[in-house]
Amino acid sequence: MAKRKKSRGGLLIKLLLLAGLIGAGYWLYLQYEQQGWRPDDQAYPDQGALIGESDGAVDFEVLKGLGAEFVYLEASRGARGKDANFSRNLAAAREAGLQVGAVHLFDPCETADGQSANYVTIVPRDADLLPPAIRLSRMTDECPESVSEAAVQSELLTLVNQIESHTEAPVVLAPSEEFEDRYRPARRLERALWLDGDMKEPDYGGRPWTVWTANSSYLSEAAEKPLRWLVVRP
C-alpha cells in the first residue's frame, strides 16, 4: 500500500511538471507570435508607432518602409521631465516623411500649470503636428502626499485646456485601463481616445477608440528594441 501511494505521488509530480512545461512553452509561443504581429493593413491602413528615449535609436526610414504612416513621440513628463531624444526624433521622423504627434505623460502628483509649462517649452506650436496626446497611467498611490480623485480630475481638465490653447488642437486622451477604472477620464471628457490592448481591440473606455496600441512589443528592423505599434480607426 505504501509503495502504491508513493507511486501515485510521483506520478502527480510528473504530471504537474509536464503541465508547467506545456504552460511555459505556450507562453513563449504567444510571446513569439506577438513580437511580429500587427493588425491587417487592409482593415487598418493608417498605422504607426509610439517612440520615446527608452526605445533607443530608431531608423525612421525603415519604419516608413515597414508601412508606418505616423509616429507619436514622447515629449514631456510631469512638470520637469523631458524626453532627451524628442527634438532629434521629430526632425528624423519628418525627414522620413512621417506625420508626427507629441505625447505628454501626465503626473497626478503635480499641478497642471507646471506640466503645461514643461510641455510648451519642448513642443513647438506647429499646425503640421498631429493632435497632442496625454498619456494617463501613473496613479496617485505613488504620490508623496495624498491626492484626491477630484483633484486629479480637476488638474487633468486644466492641463487639457492649457495644452489645447498652446496647440490649437483638441487633445487625444490615452488612459491605461487602471487609470480609466479609477478616474474615468474617457467618460468625463469628450475627447478622442487612445486605448491599449495587445492583439485585441480594447473596450474599457466605454466608447470607441480612435488610436489603438495594438502591440506593445512589436519587433522590427527599425529598432533593436520592440516598439509600441499603433493603428488609427478607419
Side-chain angles (χ1 to χ4, degrees):
M1 183 67 71
K3 288 183 178 180
R4 185 175 298 176
K5 288 183 178 179
K6 184 176 181 181
S7 176
R8 288 177 179 174
L11 178 61
L12 178 61
I13 291 173
K14 290 178 180 179
L15 290 173
L16 290 173
L17 288 173
L18 179 60
L21 288 173
I22 292 173
Y26 182 65
W27 181 83
L28 289 172
Y29 169 76
L30 290 179
Q31 291 293 105
Y32 174 78
E33 284 292 297
Q34 180 178 333
Q35 284 185 338
W37 183 88
R38 54 193 249 193
D40 180 70
D41 293 343
Q42 297 297 319
Y44 300 97
D46 200 4
Q47 305 198 15
L50 169 62
I51 294 168
E53 63 180 271
S54 62
D55 296 309
V58 175
D59 190 324
F60 291 95
E61 295 283 354
V62 172
L63 199 62
K64 175 74 172 178
L66 291 171
E69 297 293 334
F70 69 93
V71 290
Y72 265 95
L73 305 176
E74 292 178 353
S76 52
R77 301 180 299 274
R80 287 170 291 277
K82 291 182 175 64
D83 190 290
N85 293 341
F86 175 75
S87 296
R88 180 167 62 252
N89 284 341
L90 175 60
R94 283 180 157 171
E95 181 67 23
L98 294 164
Q99 291 183 288
V100 184
V103 178
H104 175 77
L105 306 181
F106 176 69
D107 189 339
C109 308
E110 300 179 316
T111 65
D113 290 346
Q115 297 192 60
S116 61
N118 186 32
Y119 179 87
V120 303
T121 60
I122 188 170
V123 180
R125 178 177 289 175
D126 187 335
D128 290 333
L129 288 174
L130 294 171
I134 301 177
R135 294 286 293 175
L136 306 163
S137 58
R138 187 178 183 187
M139 312 297 287
T140 53
D141 302 337
E142 306 171 34
C143 298
E145 298 180 1
S146 177
V147 180
S148 69
E149 291 186 13
V152 172
Q153 293 161 356
S154 175
E155 292 301 323
L156 176 58
L157 176 59
T158 300
L159 179 63
V160 165
N161 290 332
Q162 290 171 335
I163 288 180
E164 289 181 341
S165 177
H166 172 69
T167 61
E168 299 182 342
V171 305
V172 178
L173 295 176
S176 67
E177 187 168 4
E178 184 182 10
F179 194 98
E180 177 60 31
D181 285 345
R182 183 178 297 187
Y183 304 111
R184 303 289 183 180
R187 291 162 174 78
R188 293 176 178 274
L189 299 173
E190 287 294 327
R191 298 296 191 281
L193 291 182
W194 172 346
L195 303 180
D196 303 327
D198 281 332
M199 302 177 70
K200 182 180 178 181
E201 288 194 43
D203 59 6
Y204 61 85
R207 53 189 174 88
W209 52 267
T210 298
V211 182
W212 166 28
T213 306
N215 190 343
S216 62
S217 55
Y218 179 66
L219 192 60
S220 72
E221 301 90 342
E224 291 185 0
K225 298 180 180 180
L227 301 176
R228 292 158 288 181
W229 195 258
L230 314 175
V231 299
V232 173
R233 184 179 292 278

